[in-house]
Amino acid sequence: MGKISSLDLGSPSPSSKDIPMDSEATLTPSTLTIRNPPFTYLHLTLLSSPPSSDPVDILTFRAHLTSALQQFLGLTGTAIPIDFLKVEDRDLWVRVPREDGSAVVNALSGWVGGSEREGVGWRVKGKGDWLGAMLGGRGAELFEA
């Protein structure tokens, strides 16, 4: 067995009593900039022809999303993870990885599906890297009933 020389497991971890405190120490403000947010948020609407105001369930949304992604990107498109944040009537808010955001928008905006009696398509109503900015508020509105 090899020996780990840079890690001393026998010494206790420092506690707050071991750290000297300066009575004149001041706290300085610092800033944090997140340059590459991990997700892109999308506000989508499922359109139908002839127009319908019937609410759509989450399984139907998933089927239409998967169909659009598969048609545009093949098997790779179906592997894109999509988090459903909110479903309201025919509107849908989703979260996708940031690097896949543009591909998802392109796949959905150019897709037309449905049957002989009814055609369906997607409208991208909003896209943003920050949920609050996309909603024009803090983001809490998304989770209100």
Side-chain angles (χ1 to χ4, degrees), residues 18 21 48-49 59 65 117 145:
D18 298 334
M21 296 298 290
S48 62
S49 175
L59 295 175
L65 281 171
R117 292 180 290 137

Side-chain angles (χ1 to χ4, degrees), residues 30-113:
S30 62
T31 60
L32 174 67
T33 303
I34 302 174
R35 297 184 194 279
N36 296 319
F39 298 105
T40 293
Y41 298 89
L42 302 171
H43 178 193
L44 308 169
T45 299
L46 187 64
L47 304 173
S48 62
S49 175
S52 172
S53 61
D54 296 335
V56 181
D57 66 345
I58 197 163
L59 295 175
T60 303
F61 278 128
R62 170 60 83 183
H64 290 315
L65 281 171
T66 302
S67 177
L69 291 170
Q70 183 176 16
Q71 182 178 342
F72 187 72
L73 298 167
L75 190 57
T76 305
T78 61
I80 295 174
I82 299 175
D83 298 325
F84 288 73
L85 302 177
K86 184 175 183 178
V87 174
E88 185 177 284
D89 297 327
R90 300 182 77 80
D91 286 339
L92 174 68
W93 286 263
V94 296
R95 178 177 75 173
V96 298
R98 185 178 61 85
E99 58 272 4
D100 296 325
S102 294
V104 171
V105 168
N106 290 333
L108 297 179
S109 61
W111 177 78
V112 176

